[in-house]
Amino acid sequence: MSSLDKSLDDIISTSRKSIKSKRLNRGGNGKVGKKIGASNKKPIVSFKKSTPAAPKKSTAVDVSYATKVVVYGLPRDIKLDAIKDFFQSQVGGVQNIALSYNEKGQFKGIATIIFKSSKSASKAVEKYNGAPIDGGSSKLKLELIVDPTKKPLTSRIAPNKVTGPKVAGPKAANPKLAAAKAAAKANLKSKKAKPAQAKKPAKRSKKTVEQLDQEMADYFDN
């Protein structure tokens, strides 16, 4: 049936159905747009600043009492006197040297040197640790031995801190109280003051015998 043979009501109803079907195909409301609940906002990514780890506190070793040094890598054909003379002339303060031998009695190239002071021992390690031997064919290795049992007892025991009695600080002066105290002291001093001594009568001078006789004669004449 052609559109010309249809009635007006059929044409209108047909056109409405076609429009409705187009709307459904476009998303239900006839508008092409965003989906419900969809968001174009980019996700927020937060970056926390990494705090660097606190450096570990280095525990300093007290070497003020370390006088022993172990020397490794010495030539095995060297003698004890030569080692002693070398360190005595180059460092100084050598007290004693002991060499290490194997079970066959051969020198192992290891010597233990005792210095008279820790200063000399530290100097030997600083000066000859890693020093080349025979043109660099090998190197010396020196180790400073720290033995806690050699530490003086005076440096290991600290005396208790002596604290004196606590002295209270001066309080703020009260003018009324100070005036009252001053008046009380003055009153107390006046009460303790000794009364003035009464003057003693002047001593009469002694009369002579003639004066006494004259007084007696005058008395009887009257």
Side-chain angles (χ1 to χ4, degrees):
M1 182 183 291
S2 62
S3 60
L4 297 173
D5 296 333
K6 292 181 180 179
S7 64
L8 184 59
D9 294 336
D10 293 336
I11 294 171
I12 293 171
S13 63
T14 303
S15 62
R16 285 179 178 176
K17 287 179 181 179
S18 61
I19 293 169
K20 187 176 181 181
S21 62
K22 288 180 181 180
R23 287 181 177 179
L24 290 173
N25 291 333
R26 289 181 180 178
N29 57 1
K31 295 181 180 179
V32 179
K34 301 177 184 177
K35 292 183 179 180
I36 298 173
S39 175
N40 290 334
K41 291 182 180 180
K42 294 182 180 179
I44 300 173
V45 181
S46 61
F47 296 94
K48 292 183 178 179
K49 293 182 179 180
S50 59
T51 56
K56 295 182 179 180
K57 294 181 180 179
S58 59
T59 54
V61 180
D62 185 9
V63 296
S64 59
Y65 57 92
T67 57
K68 183 188 292 186
V69 176
V70 179
V71 185
Y72 300 91
L74 288 167
R76 300 197 177 187
D77 58 348
I78 199 168
K79 301 298 181 183
L80 185 145
D81 291 340
I83 299 172
K84 185 175 181 179
D85 292 341
F86 173 79
F87 282 98
Q88 181 64 37
S89 61
Q90 300 299 319
V91 179
V94 176
Q95 183 176 350
N96 189 21
I97 292 182
L99 304 183
S100 297
Y101 299 91
N102 59 16
E103 61 276 2
K104 294 181 180 180
Q106 297 173 344
F107 178 48
K108 296 168 61 176
I110 302 172
T112 302
I113 306 174
I114 307 296
F115 290 89
K116 295 179 181 179
S117 66
S118 60
K119 186 177 180 181
S120 299
S122 300
K123 181 180 178 181
V125 174
E126 183 180 356
K127 191 173 182 179
Y128 290 105
N129 184 36
I133 302 173
D134 296 335
S137 58
S138 61
K139 290 183 179 181
L140 281 179
K141 180 182 177 182
L142 279 74
E143 290 183 355
L144 183 65
I145 306 301
V146 180
D147 187 1
T149 60
K150 302 296 183 181
K151 191 173 182 179
L153 196 59
T154 54
S155 61
R156 299 180 68 179
I157 300 176
N160 294 325
K161 292 182 179 180
V162 180
T163 57
K166 294 183 179 179
V167 180
K171 296 181 180 179
N174 188 345
K176 293 183 179 180
L177 184 60
K181 287 183 178 180
K185 286 183 179 180
N187 189 17
L188 185 61
K189 285 182 179 181
S190 63
K191 287 182 180 179
K192 288 183 178 181
K194 293 182 179 180
Q197 294 181 353
K199 292 183 179 180
K200 294 182 179 179
K203 292 183 179 180
R204 295 180 180 180
S205 59
K206 292 183 180 181
K207 295 181 179 181
T208 60
V209 178
E210 290 79 7
Q211 290 176 345
L212 291 174
D213 292 341
Q214 184 63 39
E215 287 181 358
M216 287 295 292
D218 293 339
Y219 177 77
F220 285 112
D221 290 339
N222 296 328

